[in-house]
Amino acid sequence: MGSLDTNPSTFVCTDDLDSSFQPLNAEDVRSYLHTSVDFICDYYKSVESLPVLPGVEPGYLRRLLQPAPPTSSAPFHVTMKELRDAVVPGMTHWASPNFFAFFPATNSAAAIAGELIASAMNTVGFTWQANPAATEMEVLALDWLAQLLRLPPSFLMNNRTGATGGGVILGTTSEAMLVTLVAARDAALRRMGSNGVAGMTRLTVYAADQTHSTFFKACRLAGFDPANIRSIPTAADTDYGLDPARLLEIMKADVAAGLVPTYICATVGTTSSNAVDPVGAIADVAAAFDAWVHVDAAYAGSACICPEFRHHIDGVERVDSISMSPHKWLMTCLDCTCLWVRDAGRLTGSLETNPEYLKNGASESGAVTDLKDMQVGVGRRFRGLKLWMVMRTYGAVKLQEHIRSDVAMAKMFEDSVRADDRFEVVVPRNFALVCFRIKPLQGDMLMTEEEAEEANRELMERLNRTGKAYVAHTVIGGKFVLRFAVGSSTQEERHVRSAWELIQKTTTEIMDQGREM
């Protein structure tokens, strides 16, 4: 890779030293952005040929770039040269069609344009008055997406039923969990007649053991006693989804012990295996305890814009909140997590701030909802623009086509795995994730579970070292499992086939070496 020969401390200012600094000089904006757009286009053209995982060591960047800030200015092309020479070689290329790890981080031309324009406008839309268009665009985009998901009208902000629902675009699922946990906490304390947080030690929350770890972190941030956070074991007999009967049993036991069931997180598409918790059945259990139900559909919620996948959120009309992240699978770049609540007042009641300097006629009229009151902070980005631009540009049909194409490629990969008797699919495939492994029994070769884990680790590490594919792992039912997530925005069937051929070839090498030992 080599080191750069540019030294920021020796750069000579190219501008007239007597001229004023103009960071938004129109010609500079035009020139810099043209250069940047060319870089982006060239990046997408070349990303397929780049190693998915970089071959760098920790601390590499500091050795290539000067540790002290420059004192004088430099031509923009020097900055771009350092970007190309030092930053790009250290990137894990999530945009690569050979990226199959974690979940996809999808993108599109419309989303990039929306993000660029929003960044240029640089608006801070904490209240409606601070930027009416930003607030109303966010509401419109959320209502559009809610309609694609066929959410009940009670979740829409601009409904005509007199309901009090609404939504907000946040940065991540973690934020959606945190704000709804806070609202549920306060509602439970009010029901108990508790002043302040004196009753906090009695509040309990529930989730399956497959629920994303960020949930348990958010619970701690919201003040719940770690001893009252229930991680309910799952098993193969429910495809690792939450068992409503087991949930009911645990909640009854908590009530008998004097505790107060407060919040249940149901997941549609867990990170490890894409397990789906039964939303309707969980809502029925929760109703008996007046507990808040939140549905985390961060990844798989995007698939629910397709009628054939919508059943995964059946019962959503009986939950209190649902969130999904278009930045995962709906072509909208980071960060964009959509949260809808059935009663927006329960959220704003816990999160509202009303300092004198933000008071205005529109807010006090009650005709608008200030989105600052549905999130942790006050400042907020114009996220609604890129989401609206994606839906407006591509329409429901193309977005559904994108989802269906990814699912079809994942099914093709799953069929290939099942056809090779050296492998097994560990859990039924949901959506576009396949969880598989080299199985312990290999014809005349019998491996222990420990040896099978070692073989699968070796397979993953060898694949990732090639730079031609990147896969990640999880542990399901005590088994070390490889996760193959289809969905990169640039992926085509040929990339999936090529990855499978590489997996087969590498497995053959591992097995042959094992027989020789």
Side-chain angles (χ1 to χ4, degrees):
M1 188 162 51
S3 61
L4 299 180
D5 56 5
T6 51
N7 185 338
S9 64
T10 65
F11 292 151
V12 177
C13 181
T14 57
D15 301 323
D16 183 351
L17 295 176
D18 295 329
S19 66
S20 60
F21 178 39
Q22 296 180 319
L24 284 176
N25 174 278
E27 290 310 309
D28 284 345
V29 171
R30 189 183 308 278
S31 172
Y32 292 6
L33 291 187
H34 280 172
T35 300
S36 299
V37 168
D38 285 343
F39 169 84
I40 292 168
C41 293
D42 290 342
Y43 174 74
Y44 276 108
K45 284 182 178 179
S46 65
V47 69
E48 179 177 352
S49 64
L50 299 175
V52 189
L53 277 177
V56 297
E57 299 294 332
Y60 92 97
L61 192 62
R62 183 170 288 271
R63 292 191 293 271
L64 294 176
L65 300 179
Q66 296 296 322
T71 56
S72 55
S73 60
F76 188 64
H77 72 82
V78 173
T79 304
M80 292 301 294
K81 182 180 187 302
E82 295 196 358
L83 169 63
R84 286 189 296 269
D85 292 352
V87 178
V88 173
M91 294 287 293
T92 296
H93 297 290
W94 287 64
S96 171
N98 301 311
F99 183 99
F100 301 100
F102 311 117
F103 280 129
T106 55
N107 211 344
S108 63
I112 294 170
E115 182 80 348
L116 173 62
I117 293 168
S119 296
M121 291 179 170
N122 202 32
T123 185
V124 187
F126 37 70
T127 63
W128 180 90
Q129 187 183 60
N131 193 332
T135 297
E136 299 204 7
M137 175 63 77
E138 187 160 327
V139 171
L140 178 64
L142 284 163
D143 281 357
W144 275 14
L145 185 50
Q147 291 173 68
L148 289 181
L149 293 167
R150 289 190 291 152
L151 296 183
S154 55
F155 283 98
L156 274 63
M157 194 168 284
N158 284 338
N159 67 75
R160 295 176 180 166
T161 65
T164 57
V168 62
I169 302 180
L170 304 170
T172 64
T173 299
S174 308
E175 295 174 58
M177 289 176 173
L178 179 58
V179 297
T180 52
L181 278 162
V182 168
R185 176 199 70 191
D186 292 352
L189 290 173
R190 285 193 297 271
R191 289 197 307 272
M192 294 166 56
S194 175
N195 293 322
V197 296
M200 277 292 294
T201 56
R202 294 176 56 201
L203 305 186
T204 53
V205 296
Y206 308 83
D209 60 359
Q210 297 294 304
T211 303
H212 198 285
S213 61
T214 193
F215 169 71
F216 304 100
K217 179 178 181 178
C219 289
R220 296 194 300 273
L221 289 172
F224 289 92
D225 186 338
N228 293 344
I229 301 173
R230 307 285 182 250
S231 178
I232 302 173
T234 57
D237 60 352
T238 60
D239 292 334
Y240 297 96
L242 180 59
D243 180 358
R246 179 65 176 145
L247 173 66
L248 177 61
E249 178 186 337
I250 293 172
M251 294 177 79
K252 283 182 174 179
D254 282 341
V255 171
L259 301 175
V260 180
T262 300
Y263 185 103
I264 305 167
C265 182
T267 305
V268 175
T270 60
T271 299
S272 275
S273 65
N274 249 341
V276 175
D277 294 337
V279 173
I282 289 171
D284 291 341
V285 171
F289 304 92
D290 205 12
W292 184 295
V293 179
H294 175 70
V295 176
D296 168 18
Y299 160 71
S302 294
C304 295
I305 68 170
C306 300
E308 64 268 32
F309 298 115
R310 172 56 173 76
H311 67 277
H312 288 295
I313 57 170
D314 282 355
V316 69
E317 67 279 359
R318 302 196 300 281
V319 309
D320 298 277
S321 56
I322 179 172
S323 63
M324 57 89 74
S325 299
H327 64 234
K328 287 186 181 290
W329 203 12
L330 207 62
M331 315 304 292
T332 307
C333 52
L334 279 163
D335 50 8
C336 184
T337 291
C338 299
L339 169 68
W340 295 271
V341 289
R342 192 151 44 89
D343 184 353
R346 296 175 72 184
L347 205 58
T348 59
S350 294
L351 302 172
E352 183 179 19
T353 56
N354 193 28
E356 186 63 35
Y357 52 80
L358 292 184
K359 290 180 179 178
N360 62 85
S363 296
E364 298 192 9
S365 72
V368 300
T369 297
D370 290 332
L371 297 177
K372 68 177 177 61
D373 296 328
M374 299 178 74
Q375 62 176 30
V376 174
V378 174
R380 54 195 338 275
R381 300 175 61 232
F382 192 0
R383 294 188 182 100
L385 181 62
K386 63 185 175 185
L387 179 59
W388 173 79
M389 288 183 73
V390 166
M391 290 188 287
R392 184 66 187 89
T393 301
Y394 302 123
V397 171
K398 285 190 180 297
L399 293 174
Q400 290 169 340
E401 178 185 316
H402 149 70
I403 296 291
R404 288 169 177 147
S405 173
D406 288 348
V407 172
M409 287 191 288
K411 184 180 185 305
M412 178 188 73
F413 181 84
E414 178 191 34
D415 291 342
S416 298
V417 172
R418 293 188 185 279
D420 188 325
D421 62 9
R422 297 175 298 175
F423 297 91
E424 64 178 344
V425 175
V426 178
V427 294
R429 177 189 53 79
N430 282 324
F431 313 109
L433 172 70
V434 180
C435 295
F436 73 104
R437 69 169 185 160
I438 299 172
K439 62 186 180 183
L441 182 60
Q442 296 293 322
D444 61 345
M445 184 177 176
L446 181 63
M447 293 186 288
T448 64
E449 279 294 336
E450 290 76 12
E451 290 170 334
E453 176 175 335
E454 184 179 345
N456 281 286
R457 283 187 183 275
E458 180 68 15
L459 173 58
M460 180 181 71
E461 290 168 4
R462 289 196 189 191
L463 291 171
N464 293 344
R465 280 199 301 267
T466 68
K468 297 176 180 178
Y470 179 28
V471 297
H473 78 281
T474 189
V475 174
I476 303 174
K479 301 174 182 177
F480 183 93
V481 175
L482 301 184
R483 297 172 69 264
F484 190 89
V486 175
S488 169
S489 302
T490 56
Q491 235 157 47
E492 299 174 9
E493 188 174 305
R494 63 187 176 91
H495 299 111
V496 176
R497 291 190 185 279
S498 178
W500 172 240
E501 290 170 4
L502 180 62
I503 290 168
Q504 288 184 300
K505 176 177 178 290
T506 307
T507 301
T508 297
E509 293 171 355
I510 292 171
M511 293 297 127
D512 288 347
Q513 290 173 4
R515 290 187 179 93
E516 292 171 1
M517 293 177 63

